[in-house]
Amino acid sequence: MRVLVTGGAGFLGSHLCDRLLSDGHDVIALDNFFTGAKKNLSHLANRPDFEIIRHDVVNPILLEVDWIFNLACPASPIHYQHNPVKTVKTSVMGALNMLGMSKRVGARILQASTSEVYGDPAVHPQPESYWGNVNPIGLRSCYDEGKRVAETLMMDYHHQNGVDIRIIRIFNTYGPRMAVGDGRVVSNFIVQALRGEPLTVYGEGSQTRSFLYVEDLIDGMVKLMAREGPDAHEPVNVGSPHEITMLELVTTLGKIIGSDLKIVHRPLPADDPVRRCAVTERARERLGWQPKTSLEEGLTRTVAYFREILDR
Ligand code: NAD
Ligand code: UDP
């Protein structure tokens, strides 16, 4: 297959490029380098089966490919809130442009959606059948509603034009190649701990998330793209079913780093979801997928990565 990965220079996109190349595909990574970096792909630079295009998905582009993974979009709250109008444009116009390409060349397309479509959920844990509880005018809306519209566009192109779509709802994923300044909790805590700084716990730290290691996420994403059948267009949650509080995350990291980590409380950002945890039955039944990496193992590998880049 010739495969396009938008957002290919980002955290997840670069791991996806690695995986697709090792599966024998030809890969084009497309990115505007807002939160991604060329260094995430530098080890692939000389391969004849790989190329990078600097391009912004809000503008149309003509390419001939078989599969499109549409990952382009800043994922960390500090980055997607930096220019919220641009975030909406990236999700909405990016999805439109990539769907237009799919329709033109008959390519299968996967949209990277998010557990944020469930908002601050009133149903817990969250199955795919839950419609969500999203504030349409809050700080997180540019991201949450942008992704919800992207899902709508995917479904409408599927029903109206027969486009072959896949929708993955990704829950919090962490691992090597998260940027040092990414701002999400796992990279923040690890970088702070390694620098001997107190860990910034927002609010009381009793809010929960379920954290998935990047390799497991990419495996679920590739399995979903390859799935055939009448229900293949329906959204699938890929995430960890293991829910923990942010204070428990501090404790787990303390054991891995081997020191008593100090914390400092910071104000809880507006609309920060209180609880979040994936229901993963659909991924298990339809894709034969389940996470293989424990939180301790995944965090240990991620700590090793940050130790190396901070020492450089
Ligand atoms: P990331 O910020 O590391 O990667 C996003 C990539 O998209 C970056 O390389 C960035 O430069 C690129 N990009 C942003 N706007 C663009 C534009 N307009 N045109 C072209 N490229 C653009 O984030 P990530 O964690 O790798 O997330 C990848 C995708 O997965 C995103 O769509 C995100 O919403 C989704 N997702 C991630 C998580 C997670 O926990 N990592 C959870 C849910 C959903
Ligand atoms: N968080 C925190 N300290 C940080 C960064 C984040 O306590 O330095 C909290 C944040 O308020 C949220 C949780 O950790 O409750 C996960 O935040 P992240 O930005 O990683 O992801 P999201 O909120 O989008 O799930």
Side-chain angles (χ1 to χ4, degrees):
M1 299 280 182
R2 182 185 288 186
V3 187
L4 174 66
V5 178
T6 77
F11 161 49
L12 298 182
S14 62
H15 284 279
L16 178 62
C17 291
D18 284 342
R19 168 64 192 267
L20 292 167
L21 287 166
S22 79
D23 286 352
H25 301 296
D26 273 18
V27 175
I28 304 171
L30 181 157
D31 211 293
N32 72 349
F33 302 109
F34 173 40
T35 50
K38 280 186 197 158
K39 69 172 164 25
N40 288 337
L41 299 170
S42 53
H43 59 292
L44 305 175
N46 295 323
R47 291 184 63 138
D49 47 3
F50 179 71
E51 52 192 308
I52 304 179
I53 300 175
R54 179 189 284 270
H55 180 78
D56 194 307
V57 291
V58 305
N59 300 311
I61 183 168
L62 294 178
L63 294 168
E64 276 66 46
V65 293
D66 304 300
W67 277 0
I68 301 169
F69 288 86
N70 189 29
L71 273 62
C73 185
S76 168
I78 54 166
H79 293 128
Y80 70 64
Q81 289 166 16
H82 170 72
N83 183 345
V85 173
K86 178 65 193 263
T87 301
V88 175
K89 279 186 176 175
T90 295
S91 276
V92 176
M93 295 166 72
L96 270 172
N97 287 327
M98 292 307 130
L99 280 158
M101 189 192 299
S102 297
K103 184 178 148 193
R104 183 176 59 84
V105 300
R108 178 175 294 178
I109 179 167
L110 176 144
Q111 173 65 36
S113 186
T114 169
S115 54
E116 301 275 342
V117 299
Y118 302 123
D120 190 4
V123 169
H124 189 77
Q126 294 80 51
E128 290 85 350
S129 55
Y130 178 49
W131 291 355
N133 178 35
V134 175
N135 176 357
I137 55 167
L139 276 179
R140 297 173 83 102
S141 322
C142 58
Y143 184 74
D144 302 5
E145 299 288 19
K147 291 287 186 179
R148 287 170 68 95
V149 174
E151 286 201 11
T152 307
L153 286 167
M154 294 285 286
M155 272 304 174
D156 289 342
Y157 267 79
H158 176 65
H159 292 306
Q160 199 174 325
N161 302 105
V163 173
D164 191 13
I165 64 155
R166 303 288 181 273
I167 299 172
I168 182 171
R169 291 189 180 149
I170 303 170
F171 284 65
N172 295 64
T173 302
Y174 68 95
R177 295 193 199 145
M178 290 183 94
V180 170
D182 179 273
R184 281 176 279 185
V185 67
V186 173
S187 49
N188 269 9
F189 281 3
I190 293 178
V191 169
Q192 289 160 348
L194 294 178
R195 286 178 172 158
E197 297 166 4
L199 276 53
T200 51
V201 173
Y202 299 165
E204 292 301 311
S206 56
Q207 69 272 37
T208 68
R209 296 291 186 271
S210 59
F211 295 101
L212 185 70
Y213 188 62
V214 60
E215 221 170 86
D216 286 325
L217 186 272
I218 299 300
D219 191 47
M221 193 182 275
V222 171
K223 283 194 162 95
L224 176 60
M225 189 57 144
R227 180 173 162 83
E228 307 281 350
D231 57 13
H233 62 286
E234 293 174 0
V236 179
N237 286 343
V238 177
S240 164
H242 173 58
E243 178 184 8
I244 62 164
T245 67
M246 296 312 102
L247 288 179
E248 285 166 341
L249 179 63
V250 174
T251 309
T252 310
L253 266 177
K255 285 185 198 145
I256 291 165
I257 292 176
S259 58
D260 204 5
L261 300 175
K262 302 269 175 298
I263 62 171
V264 54
H265 288 279
R266 295 273 179 260
L268 190 66
D271 293 343
D272 199 278
V274 177
R275 304 182 74 184
R276 186 187 294 147
C277 183
V279 172
T280 56
E281 263 69 37
R282 189 175 282 185
R284 211 174 53 224
E285 284 161 16
R286 296 187 185 180
L287 310 179
W289 176 89
Q290 56 181 24
K292 295 196 180 103
T293 317
S294 69
L295 184 63
E296 289 71 17
E297 210 178 316
L299 287 176
T300 303
R301 289 190 217 164
T302 311
V303 167
Y305 168 80
F306 278 107
R307 222 187 264 285
E308 200 194 313
I309 58 164
L310 291 177
D311 281 353
R312 244 181 239 160

